[in-house]
Amino acid sequence: TSSIEYASRIQRAMLPMNDHFKNLFSDYFIIFKPRDIVSGDFYWIGEDDKHIFFTVADCTGHGVPGAFMSTLGISSLNEIITNNDDLQANTVLNLLREKIITSLHQTGKEGEAADGMDLALCVLHKNRKTLQYSGSYNPLFIFQGGEFKEYKADRMPIGIYYGEKVTFTNYEIN
């Protein structure tokens, strides 16, 4: 148990600090309640000169296996944002899917574990006029102008999947 509790401290250290959200948003909330000591869920935020990227994700597995997946997801997202320019939300998901498949040596062979993650990823332009969304099983809900709107996610995970489309859908929202 002491080893898993130590792993929990490392996992929590990888999650974004509250100050990062506070500096970028005037109104926000985060609910993070791991079912076990470590979690297969994560939230993440990153930015470049023009955009704020943020996501919530649910990885396959819970506990230790899920925590490994969440660590892989956070590290991969950091690398994607750092090494690419002018990213759209769906491009981030496409690149993340490639990284997960490569990292886990997924080939699509029958009987192979189909580990991965489901997530909703948003890209907010810093001028606050446009928001992009792309989702892997997780939709986006927005309450805007007195109206409740749902943007559907693609029904494919981040990871190997038989029937995957070439690309994730990208929504641009004013």
PDB file of all heavy atoms in Angstrom, residues 30-67:
ATOM      1  N   ILE A  30     -12.961  21.724 -10.883  1.00  0.00           N
ATOM      2  CA  ILE A  30     -12.357  20.424 -11.142  1.00  0.00           C
ATOM      3  C   ILE A  30     -12.855  19.462 -10.078  1.00  0.00           C
ATOM      4  O   ILE A  30     -12.788  19.757  -8.888  1.00  0.00           O
ATOM      5  CB  ILE A  30     -10.811  20.490 -11.084  1.00  0.00           C
ATOM      6  CG1 ILE A  30     -10.284  21.434 -12.154  1.00  0.00           C
ATOM      7  CG2 ILE A  30     -10.206  19.092 -11.215  1.00  0.00           C
ATOM      8  CD1 ILE A  30      -8.818  21.764 -12.009  1.00  0.00           C
ATOM      9  N   ILE A  31     -13.369  18.335 -10.515  1.00  0.00           N
ATOM     10  CA  ILE A  31     -13.739  17.262  -9.596  1.00  0.00           C
ATOM     11  C   ILE A  31     -12.855  16.075  -9.962  1.00  0.00           C
ATOM     12  O   ILE A  31     -12.901  15.583 -11.085  1.00  0.00           O
ATOM     13  CB  ILE A  31     -15.228  16.870  -9.732  1.00  0.00           C
ATOM     14  CG1 ILE A  31     -16.113  18.063  -9.388  1.00  0.00           C
ATOM     15  CG2 ILE A  31     -15.535  15.680  -8.831  1.00  0.00           C
ATOM     16  CD1 ILE A  31     -17.581  17.829  -9.692  1.00  0.00           C
ATOM     17  N   PHE A  32     -12.029  15.652  -9.027  1.00  0.00           N
ATOM     18  CA  PHE A  32     -11.137  14.523  -9.256  1.00  0.00           C
ATOM     19  C   PHE A  32     -11.184  13.638  -8.020  1.00  0.00           C
ATOM     20  O   PHE A  32     -10.634  13.986  -6.983  1.00  0.00           O
ATOM     21  CB  PHE A  32      -9.706  15.010  -9.519  1.00  0.00           C
ATOM     22  CG  PHE A  32      -8.733  13.898  -9.824  1.00  0.00           C
ATOM     23  CD1 PHE A  32      -8.821  13.182 -11.003  1.00  0.00           C
ATOM     24  CD2 PHE A  32      -7.722  13.584  -8.927  1.00  0.00           C
ATOM     25  CE1 PHE A  32      -7.926  12.168 -11.289  1.00  0.00           C
ATOM     26  CE2 PHE A  32      -6.821  12.571  -9.215  1.00  0.00           C
ATOM     27  CZ  PHE A  32      -6.923  11.859 -10.390  1.00  0.00           C
ATOM     28  N   LYS A  33     -11.902  12.537  -8.122  1.00  0.00           N
ATOM     29  CA  LYS A  33     -12.068  11.619  -6.999  1.00  0.00           C
ATOM     30  C   LYS A  33     -11.726  10.204  -7.453  1.00  0.00           C
ATOM     31  O   LYS A  33     -12.599   9.477  -7.933  1.00  0.00           O
ATOM     32  CB  LYS A  33     -13.501  11.661  -6.476  1.00  0.00           C
ATOM     33  CG  LYS A  33     -13.880  12.962  -5.808  1.00  0.00           C
ATOM     34  CD  LYS A  33     -15.285  12.868  -5.252  1.00  0.00           C
ATOM     35  CE  LYS A  33     -15.576  14.060  -4.370  1.00  0.00           C
ATOM     36  NZ  LYS A  33     -16.792  13.877  -3.620  1.00  0.00           N
ATOM     37  N   PRO A  34     -10.461   9.822  -7.348  1.00  0.00           N
ATOM     38  CA  PRO A  34     -10.084   8.469  -7.774  1.00  0.00           C
ATOM     39  C   PRO A  34     -10.862   7.402  -7.015  1.00  0.00           C
ATOM     40  O   PRO A  34     -11.069   7.511  -5.805  1.00  0.00           O
ATOM     41  CB  PRO A  34      -8.593   8.397  -7.430  1.00  0.00           C
ATOM     42  CG  PRO A  34      -8.148   9.815  -7.336  1.00  0.00           C
ATOM     43  CD  PRO A  34      -9.335  10.596  -6.858  1.00  0.00           C
ATOM     44  N   ARG A  35     -11.278   6.386  -7.733  1.00  0.00           N
ATOM     45  CA  ARG A  35     -11.979   5.269  -7.118  1.00  0.00           C
ATOM     46  C   ARG A  35     -11.029   4.483  -6.215  1.00  0.00           C
ATOM     47  O   ARG A  35     -11.400   3.986  -5.169  1.00  0.00           O
ATOM     48  CB  ARG A  35     -12.539   4.360  -8.206  1.00  0.00           C
ATOM     49  CG  ARG A  35     -13.370   3.233  -7.662  1.00  0.00           C
ATOM     50  CD  ARG A  35     -13.871   2.352  -8.760  1.00  0.00           C
ATOM     51  NE  ARG A  35     -13.535   0.986  -8.385  1.00  0.00           N
ATOM     52  CZ  ARG A  35     -13.627  -0.043  -9.145  1.00  0.00           C
ATOM     53  NH1 ARG A  35     -14.007   0.102 -10.387  1.00  0.00           N
ATOM     54  NH2 ARG A  35     -13.322  -1.229  -8.717  1.00  0.00           N
ATOM     55  N   ASP A  36      -9.793   4.338  -6.678  1.00  0.00           N
ATOM     56  CA  ASP A  36      -8.752   3.666  -5.921  1.00  0.00           C
ATOM     57  C   ASP A  36      -7.720   4.717  -5.514  1.00  0.00           C
ATOM     58  O   ASP A  36      -7.901   5.908  -5.769  1.00  0.00           O
ATOM     59  CB  ASP A  36      -8.111   2.561  -6.770  1.00  0.00           C
ATOM     60  CG  ASP A  36      -9.112   1.467  -7.149  1.00  0.00           C
ATOM     61  OD1 ASP A  36      -9.812   0.990  -6.241  1.00  0.00           O
ATOM     62  OD2 ASP A  36      -9.194   1.125  -8.342  1.00  0.00           O
ATOM     63  N   ILE A  37      -6.627   4.288  -4.956  1.00  0.00           N
ATOM     64  CA  ILE A  37      -5.592   5.223  -4.520  1.00  0.00           C
ATOM     65  C   ILE A  37      -5.016   5.973  -5.709  1.00  0.00           C
ATOM     66  O   ILE A  37      -4.757   7.164  -5.653  1.00  0.00           O
ATOM     67  CB  ILE A  37      -4.495   4.472  -3.723  1.00  0.00           C
ATOM     68  CG1 ILE A  37      -5.100   3.864  -2.457  1.00  0.00           C
ATOM     69  CG2 ILE A  37      -3.348   5.405  -3.368  1.00  0.00           C
ATOM     70  CD1 ILE A  37      -4.197   2.900  -1.709  1.00  0.00           C
ATOM     71  N   VAL A  38      -4.790   5.254  -6.813  1.00  0.00           N
ATOM     72  CA  VAL A  38      -4.372   5.885  -8.063  1.00  0.00           C
ATOM     73  C   VAL A  38      -5.526   5.772  -9.054  1.00  0.00           C
ATOM     74  O   VAL A  38      -6.428   4.970  -8.870  1.00  0.00           O
ATOM     75  CB  VAL A  38      -3.076   5.248  -8.631  1.00  0.00           C
ATOM     76  CG1 VAL A  38      -1.879   5.609  -7.780  1.00  0.00           C
ATOM     77  CG2 VAL A  38      -3.210   3.749  -8.780  1.00  0.00           C
ATOM     78  N   SER A  39      -5.480   6.571 -10.103  1.00  0.00           N
ATOM     79  CA  SER A  39      -6.648   6.697 -10.968  1.00  0.00           C
ATOM     80  C   SER A  39      -6.336   6.470 -12.442  1.00  0.00           C
ATOM     81  O   SER A  39      -5.257   6.821 -12.913  1.00  0.00           O
ATOM     82  CB  SER A  39      -7.236   8.100 -10.801  1.00  0.00           C
ATOM     83  OG  SER A  39      -8.343   8.274 -11.637  1.00  0.00           O
ATOM     84  N   GLY A  40      -7.328   5.941 -13.142  1.00  0.00           N
ATOM     85  CA  GLY A  40      -7.264   5.826 -14.592  1.00  0.00           C
ATOM     86  C   GLY A  40      -7.907   7.011 -15.284  1.00  0.00           C
ATOM     87  O   GLY A  40      -7.992   7.049 -16.501  1.00  0.00           O
ATOM     88  N   ASP A  41      -8.356   7.988 -14.525  1.00  0.00           N
ATOM     89  CA  ASP A  41      -8.908   9.222 -15.081  1.00  0.00           C
ATOM     90  C   ASP A  41      -7.867  10.321 -14.908  1.00  0.00           C
ATOM     91  O   ASP A  41      -7.067  10.299 -13.982  1.00  0.00           O
ATOM     92  CB  ASP A  41     -10.179   9.636 -14.343  1.00  0.00           C
ATOM     93  CG  ASP A  41     -11.276   8.588 -14.436  1.00  0.00           C
ATOM     94  OD1 ASP A  41     -11.284   7.819 -15.405  1.00  0.00           O
ATOM     95  OD2 ASP A  41     -12.125   8.554 -13.527  1.00  0.00           O
ATOM     96  N   PHE A  42      -7.895  11.287 -15.816  1.00  0.00           N
ATOM     97  CA  PHE A  42      -7.017  12.442 -15.640  1.00  0.00           C
ATOM     98  C   PHE A  42      -7.612  13.656 -16.322  1.00  0.00           C
ATOM     99  O   PHE A  42      -8.492  13.552 -17.169  1.00  0.00           O
ATOM    100  CB  PHE A  42      -5.591  12.167 -16.134  1.00  0.00           C
ATOM    101  CG  PHE A  42      -5.419  12.050 -17.638  1.00  0.00           C
ATOM    102  CD1 PHE A  42      -5.129  13.165 -18.417  1.00  0.00           C
ATOM    103  CD2 PHE A  42      -5.519  10.813 -18.264  1.00  0.00           C
ATOM    104  CE1 PHE A  42      -4.950  13.057 -19.789  1.00  0.00           C
ATOM    105  CE2 PHE A  42      -5.343  10.682 -19.638  1.00  0.00           C
ATOM    106  CZ  PHE A  42      -5.056  11.804 -20.401  1.00  0.00           C
ATOM    107  N   TYR A  43      -7.150  14.804 -15.907  1.00  0.00           N
ATOM    108  CA  TYR A  43      -7.452  16.062 -16.583  1.00  0.00           C
ATOM    109  C   TYR A  43      -6.115  16.689 -16.923  1.00  0.00           C
ATOM    110  O   TYR A  43      -5.079  16.392 -16.318  1.00  0.00           O
ATOM    111  CB  TYR A  43      -8.333  16.975 -15.723  1.00  0.00           C
ATOM    112  CG  TYR A  43      -7.746  17.317 -14.377  1.00  0.00           C
ATOM    113  CD1 TYR A  43      -6.994  18.472 -14.196  1.00  0.00           C
ATOM    114  CD2 TYR A  43      -7.948  16.481 -13.275  1.00  0.00           C
ATOM    115  CE1 TYR A  43      -6.459  18.791 -12.963  1.00  0.00           C
ATOM    116  CE2 TYR A  43      -7.418  16.795 -12.046  1.00  0.00           C
ATOM    117  CZ  TYR A  43      -6.667  17.943 -11.888  1.00  0.00           C
ATOM    118  OH  TYR A  43      -6.124  18.250 -10.670  1.00  0.00           O
ATOM    119  N   TRP A  44      -6.128  17.553 -17.936  1.00  0.00           N
ATOM    120  CA  TRP A  44      -4.862  18.096 -18.437  1.00  0.00           C
ATOM    121  C   TRP A  44      -5.126  19.444 -19.092  1.00  0.00           C
ATOM    122  O   TRP A  44      -6.202  19.681 -19.638  1.00  0.00           O
ATOM    123  CB  TRP A  44      -4.273  17.103 -19.442  1.00  0.00           C
ATOM    124  CG  TRP A  44      -3.069  17.591 -20.167  1.00  0.00           C
ATOM    125  CD1 TRP A  44      -1.766  17.518 -19.758  1.00  0.00           C
ATOM    126  CD2 TRP A  44      -3.042  18.248 -21.433  1.00  0.00           C
ATOM    127  NE1 TRP A  44      -0.942  18.078 -20.692  1.00  0.00           N
ATOM    128  CE2 TRP A  44      -1.712  18.528 -21.735  1.00  0.00           C
ATOM    129  CE3 TRP A  44      -4.032  18.616 -22.345  1.00  0.00           C
ATOM    130  CZ2 TRP A  44      -1.329  19.180 -22.904  1.00  0.00           C
ATOM    131  CZ3 TRP A  44      -3.659  19.260 -23.505  1.00  0.00           C
ATOM    132  CH2 TRP A  44      -2.310  19.532 -23.779  1.00  0.00           C
ATOM    133  N   ILE A  45      -4.135  20.312 -19.023  1.00  0.00           N
ATOM    134  CA  ILE A  45      -4.196  21.610 -19.704  1.00  0.00           C
ATOM    135  C   ILE A  45      -2.807  21.938 -20.239  1.00  0.00           C
ATOM    136  O   ILE A  45      -1.796  21.589 -19.621  1.00  0.00           O
ATOM    137  CB  ILE A  45      -4.716  22.713 -18.755  1.00  0.00           C
ATOM    138  CG1 ILE A  45      -5.038  24.005 -19.514  1.00  0.00           C
ATOM    139  CG2 ILE A  45      -3.748  22.962 -17.615  1.00  0.00           C
ATOM    140  CD1 ILE A  45      -5.806  25.030 -18.690  1.00  0.00           C
ATOM    141  N   GLY A  46      -2.774  22.557 -21.402  1.00  0.00           N
ATOM    142  CA  GLY A  46      -1.526  23.005 -22.004  1.00  0.00           C
ATOM    143  C   GLY A  46      -1.814  24.225 -22.851  1.00  0.00           C
ATOM    144  O   GLY A  46      -2.981  24.549 -23.123  1.00  0.00           O
ATOM    145  N   GLU A  47      -0.779  24.912 -23.257  1.00  0.00           N
ATOM    146  CA  GLU A  47      -1.007  26.101 -24.079  1.00  0.00           C
ATOM    147  C   GLU A  47       0.173  26.370 -24.988  1.00  0.00           C
ATOM    148  O   GLU A  47       1.285  25.919 -24.749  1.00  0.00           O
ATOM    149  CB  GLU A  47      -1.331  27.316 -23.217  1.00  0.00           C
ATOM    150  CG  GLU A  47      -0.262  27.736 -22.252  1.00  0.00           C
ATOM    151  CD  GLU A  47      -0.688  28.924 -21.399  1.00  0.00           C
ATOM    152  OE1 GLU A  47      -1.155  29.947 -21.940  1.00  0.00           O
ATOM    153  OE2 GLU A  47      -0.532  28.822 -20.182  1.00  0.00           O
ATOM    154  N   ASP A  48      -0.109  27.116 -26.052  1.00  0.00           N
ATOM    155  CA  ASP A  48       0.924  27.665 -26.910  1.00  0.00           C
ATOM    156  C   ASP A  48       0.641  29.160 -27.030  1.00  0.00           C
ATOM    157  O   ASP A  48      -0.142  29.712 -26.252  1.00  0.00           O
ATOM    158  CB  ASP A  48       0.996  26.937 -28.259  1.00  0.00           C
ATOM    159  CG  ASP A  48      -0.256  27.092 -29.122  1.00  0.00           C
ATOM    160  OD1 ASP A  48      -1.088  27.995 -28.864  1.00  0.00           O
ATOM    161  OD2 ASP A  48      -0.416  26.303 -30.074  1.00  0.00           O
ATOM    162  N   ASP A  49       1.247  29.828 -27.978  1.00  0.00           N
ATOM    163  CA  ASP A  49       1.079  31.278 -28.101  1.00  0.00           C
ATOM    164  C   ASP A  49      -0.366  31.700 -28.348  1.00  0.00           C
ATOM    165  O   ASP A  49      -0.794  32.745 -27.890  1.00  0.00           O
ATOM    166  CB  ASP A  49       1.949  31.828 -29.239  1.00  0.00           C
ATOM    167  CG  ASP A  49       3.429  31.716 -28.946  1.00  0.00           C
ATOM    168  OD1 ASP A  49       3.795  31.563 -27.759  1.00  0.00           O
ATOM    169  OD2 ASP A  49       4.234  31.768 -29.897  1.00  0.00           O
ATOM    170  N   LYS A  50      -1.119  30.893 -29.097  1.00  0.00           N
ATOM    171  CA  LYS A  50      -2.465  31.282 -29.523  1.00  0.00           C
ATOM    172  C   LYS A  50      -3.591  30.505 -28.864  1.00  0.00           C
ATOM    173  O   LYS A  50      -4.737  30.925 -28.929  1.00  0.00           O
ATOM    174  CB  LYS A  50      -2.598  31.090 -31.036  1.00  0.00           C
ATOM    175  CG  LYS A  50      -1.657  31.917 -31.864  1.00  0.00           C
ATOM    176  CD  LYS A  50      -1.832  31.581 -33.328  1.00  0.00           C
ATOM    177  CE  LYS A  50      -0.770  32.242 -34.181  1.00  0.00           C
ATOM    178  NZ  LYS A  50      -0.817  31.781 -35.562  1.00  0.00           N
ATOM    179  N   HIS A  51      -3.297  29.337 -28.261  1.00  0.00           N
ATOM    180  CA  HIS A  51      -4.362  28.435 -27.843  1.00  0.00           C
ATOM    181  C   HIS A  51      -4.177  27.897 -26.424  1.00  0.00           C
ATOM    182  O   HIS A  51      -3.051  27.761 -25.950  1.00  0.00           O
ATOM    183  CB  HIS A  51      -4.426  27.228 -28.788  1.00  0.00           C
ATOM    184  CG  HIS A  51      -4.531  27.595 -30.219  1.00  0.00           C
ATOM    185  ND1 HIS A  51      -3.459  27.618 -31.064  1.00  0.00           N
ATOM    186  CD2 HIS A  51      -5.605  27.960 -30.956  1.00  0.00           C
ATOM    187  CE1 HIS A  51      -3.851  27.982 -32.271  1.00  0.00           C
ATOM    188  NE2 HIS A  51      -5.148  28.202 -32.236  1.00  0.00           N
ATOM    189  N   ILE A  52      -5.304  27.539 -25.832  1.00  0.00           N
ATOM    190  CA  ILE A  52      -5.330  26.806 -24.571  1.00  0.00           C
ATOM    191  C   ILE A  52      -5.953  25.450 -24.891  1.00  0.00           C
ATOM    192  O   ILE A  52      -7.051  25.382 -25.444  1.00  0.00           O
ATOM    193  CB  ILE A  52      -6.178  27.543 -23.517  1.00  0.00           C
ATOM    194  CG1 ILE A  52      -5.644  28.948 -23.277  1.00  0.00           C
ATOM    195  CG2 ILE A  52      -6.220  26.733 -22.212  1.00  0.00           C
ATOM    196  CD1 ILE A  52      -6.620  29.850 -22.516  1.00  0.00           C
ATOM    197  N   PHE A  53      -5.249  24.390 -24.570  1.00  0.00           N
ATOM    198  CA  PHE A  53      -5.714  23.025 -24.808  1.00  0.00           C
ATOM    199  C   PHE A  53      -6.114  22.432 -23.465  1.00  0.00           C
ATOM    200  O   PHE A  53      -5.376  22.560 -22.493  1.00  0.00           O
ATOM    201  CB  PHE A  53      -4.586  22.160 -25.389  1.00  0.00           C
ATOM    202  CG  PHE A  53      -3.988  22.693 -26.656  1.00  0.00           C
ATOM    203  CD1 PHE A  53      -2.985  23.645 -26.633  1.00  0.00           C
ATOM    204  CD2 PHE A  53      -4.410  22.216 -27.890  1.00  0.00           C
ATOM    205  CE1 PHE A  53      -2.423  24.122 -27.799  1.00  0.00           C
ATOM    206  CE2 PHE A  53      -3.855  22.686 -29.064  1.00  0.00           C
ATOM    207  CZ  PHE A  53      -2.863  23.650 -29.011  1.00  0.00           C
ATOM    208  N   PHE A  54      -7.265  21.770 -23.403  1.00  0.00           N
ATOM    209  CA  PHE A  54      -7.628  21.110 -22.152  1.00  0.00           C
ATOM    210  C   PHE A  54      -8.486  19.894 -22.421  1.00  0.00           C
ATOM    211  O   PHE A  54      -9.178  19.806 -23.429  1.00  0.00           O
ATOM    212  CB  PHE A  54      -8.304  22.071 -21.162  1.00  0.00           C
ATOM    213  CG  PHE A  54      -9.480  22.827 -21.693  1.00  0.00           C
ATOM    214  CD1 PHE A  54     -10.769  22.403 -21.423  1.00  0.00           C
ATOM    215  CD2 PHE A  54      -9.308  23.987 -22.440  1.00  0.00           C
ATOM    216  CE1 PHE A  54     -11.865  23.104 -21.894  1.00  0.00           C
ATOM    217  CE2 PHE A  54     -10.402  24.701 -22.916  1.00  0.00           C
ATOM    218  CZ  PHE A  54     -11.683  24.254 -22.639  1.00  0.00           C
ATOM    219  N   THR A  55      -8.394  18.927 -21.519  1.00  0.00           N
ATOM    220  CA  THR A  55      -9.097  17.664 -21.701  1.00  0.00           C
ATOM    221  C   THR A  55      -9.414  17.013 -20.370  1.00  0.00           C
ATOM    222  O   THR A  55      -8.785  17.316 -19.360  1.00  0.00           O
ATOM    223  CB  THR A  55      -8.263  16.690 -22.566  1.00  0.00           C
ATOM    224  OG1 THR A  55      -9.066  15.578 -22.943  1.00  0.00           O
ATOM    225  CG2 THR A  55      -7.037  16.193 -21.839  1.00  0.00           C
ATOM    226  N   VAL A  56     -10.388  16.146 -20.419  1.00  0.00           N
ATOM    227  CA  VAL A  56     -10.629  15.166 -19.355  1.00  0.00           C
ATOM    228  C   VAL A  56     -10.648  13.819 -20.046  1.00  0.00           C
ATOM    229  O   VAL A  56     -11.118  13.690 -21.177  1.00  0.00           O
ATOM    230  CB  VAL A  56     -11.947  15.412 -18.577  1.00  0.00           C
ATOM    231  CG1 VAL A  56     -11.856  16.683 -17.764  1.00  0.00           C
ATOM    232  CG2 VAL A  56     -13.139  15.464 -19.504  1.00  0.00           C
ATOM    233  N   ALA A  57     -10.083  12.799 -19.367  1.00  0.00           N
ATOM    234  CA  ALA A  57      -9.934  11.495 -19.996  1.00  0.00           C
ATOM    235  C   ALA A  57     -10.239  10.371 -19.026  1.00  0.00           C
ATOM    236  O   ALA A  57     -10.029  10.498 -17.820  1.00  0.00           O
ATOM    237  CB  ALA A  57      -8.513  11.343 -20.536  1.00  0.00           C
ATOM    238  N   ASP A  58     -10.713   9.277 -19.593  1.00  0.00           N
ATOM    239  CA  ASP A  58     -10.993   8.053 -18.858  1.00  0.00           C
ATOM    240  C   ASP A  58     -10.213   6.944 -19.554  1.00  0.00           C
ATOM    241  O   ASP A  58     -10.489   6.606 -20.700  1.00  0.00           O
ATOM    242  CB  ASP A  58     -12.504   7.772 -18.902  1.00  0.00           C
ATOM    243  CG  ASP A  58     -12.894   6.470 -18.224  1.00  0.00           C
ATOM    244  OD1 ASP A  58     -12.045   5.848 -17.549  1.00  0.00           O
ATOM    245  OD2 ASP A  58     -14.055   6.065 -18.378  1.00  0.00           O
ATOM    246  N   CYS A  59      -9.207   6.393 -18.867  1.00  0.00           N
ATOM    247  CA  CYS A  59      -8.358   5.361 -19.442  1.00  0.00           C
ATOM    248  C   CYS A  59      -8.907   3.979 -19.133  1.00  0.00           C
ATOM    249  O   CYS A  59      -9.621   3.785 -18.149  1.00  0.00           O
ATOM    250  CB  CYS A  59      -6.945   5.466 -18.869  1.00  0.00           C
ATOM    251  SG  CYS A  59      -6.151   7.045 -19.208  1.00  0.00           S
ATOM    252  N   THR A  60      -8.541   3.013 -19.983  1.00  0.00           N
ATOM    253  CA  THR A  60      -8.937   1.635 -19.696  1.00  0.00           C
ATOM    254  C   THR A  60      -8.263   1.200 -18.408  1.00  0.00           C
ATOM    255  O   THR A  60      -7.138   1.573 -18.124  1.00  0.00           O
ATOM    256  CB  THR A  60      -8.545   0.681 -20.841  1.00  0.00           C
ATOM    257  OG1 THR A  60      -7.144   0.809 -21.090  1.00  0.00           O
ATOM    258  CG2 THR A  60      -9.319   0.962 -22.094  1.00  0.00           C
ATOM    259  N   GLY A  61      -8.987   0.432 -17.647  1.00  0.00           N
ATOM    260  CA  GLY A  61      -8.470  -0.028 -16.369  1.00  0.00           C
ATOM    261  C   GLY A  61      -8.670   1.011 -15.292  1.00  0.00           C
ATOM    262  O   GLY A  61      -8.864   2.191 -15.557  1.00  0.00           O
ATOM    263  N   HIS A  62      -8.673   0.556 -14.074  1.00  0.00           N
ATOM    264  CA  HIS A  62      -8.688   1.471 -12.937  1.00  0.00           C
ATOM    265  C   HIS A  62      -7.549   1.042 -12.043  1.00  0.00           C
ATOM    266  O   HIS A  62      -6.859   0.065 -12.315  1.00  0.00           O
ATOM    267  CB  HIS A  62     -10.046   1.450 -12.220  1.00  0.00           C
ATOM    268  CG  HIS A  62     -10.484   0.086 -11.803  1.00  0.00           C
ATOM    269  ND1 HIS A  62     -10.057  -0.510 -10.646  1.00  0.00           N
ATOM    270  CD2 HIS A  62     -11.277  -0.824 -12.417  1.00  0.00           C
ATOM    271  CE1 HIS A  62     -10.588  -1.724 -10.552  1.00  0.00           C
ATOM    272  NE2 HIS A  62     -11.338  -1.932 -11.625  1.00  0.00           N
ATOM    273  N   GLY A  63      -7.298   1.808 -11.015  1.00  0.00           N
ATOM    274  CA  GLY A  63      -6.187   1.469 -10.143  1.00  0.00           C
ATOM    275  C   GLY A  63      -4.860   1.594 -10.866  1.00  0.00           C
ATOM    276  O   GLY A  63      -4.666   2.486 -11.689  1.00  0.00           O
ATOM    277  N   VAL A  64      -3.952   0.681 -10.595  1.00  0.00           N
ATOM    278  CA  VAL A  64      -2.590   0.766 -11.126  1.00  0.00           C
ATOM    279  C   VAL A  64      -2.552   0.734 -12.663  1.00  0.00           C
ATOM    280  O   VAL A  64      -1.899   1.583 -13.273  1.00  0.00           O
ATOM    281  CB  VAL A  64      -1.689  -0.337 -10.515  1.00  0.00           C
ATOM    282  CG1 VAL A  64      -0.319  -0.352 -11.170  1.00  0.00           C
ATOM    283  CG2 VAL A  64      -1.558  -0.117  -9.005  1.00  0.00           C
ATOM    284  N   PRO A  65      -3.248  -0.209 -13.341  1.00  0.00           N
ATOM    285  CA  PRO A  65      -3.196  -0.184 -14.813  1.00  0.00           C
ATOM    286  C   PRO A  65      -3.719   1.137 -15.393  1.00  0.00           C
ATOM    287  O   PRO A  65      -3.135   1.692 -16.334  1.00  0.00           O
ATOM    288  CB  PRO A  65      -4.083  -1.349 -15.232  1.00  0.00           C
ATOM    289  CG  PRO A  65      -4.122  -2.256 -14.049  1.00  0.00           C
ATOM    290  CD  PRO A  65      -4.026  -1.357 -12.854  1.00  0.00           C
ATOM    291  N   GLY A  66      -4.810   1.648 -14.849  1.00  0.00           N
ATOM    292  CA  GLY A  66      -5.345   2.918 -15.325  1.00  0.00           C
ATOM    293  C   GLY A  66      -4.388   4.069 -15.068  1.00  0.00           C
ATOM    294  O   GLY A  66      -4.265   4.983 -15.882  1.00  0.00           O
ATOM    295  N   ALA A  67      -3.693   4.019 -13.940  1.00  0.00           N
ATOM    296  CA  ALA A  67      -2.727   5.072 -13.616  1.00  0.00           C
ATOM    297  C   ALA A  67      -1.566   5.072 -14.610  1.00  0.00           C
ATOM    298  O   ALA A  67      -1.091   6.137 -15.017  1.00  0.00           O
ATOM    299  CB  ALA A  67      -2.214   4.895 -12.193  1.00  0.00           C
TER     300      ALA A  67
END
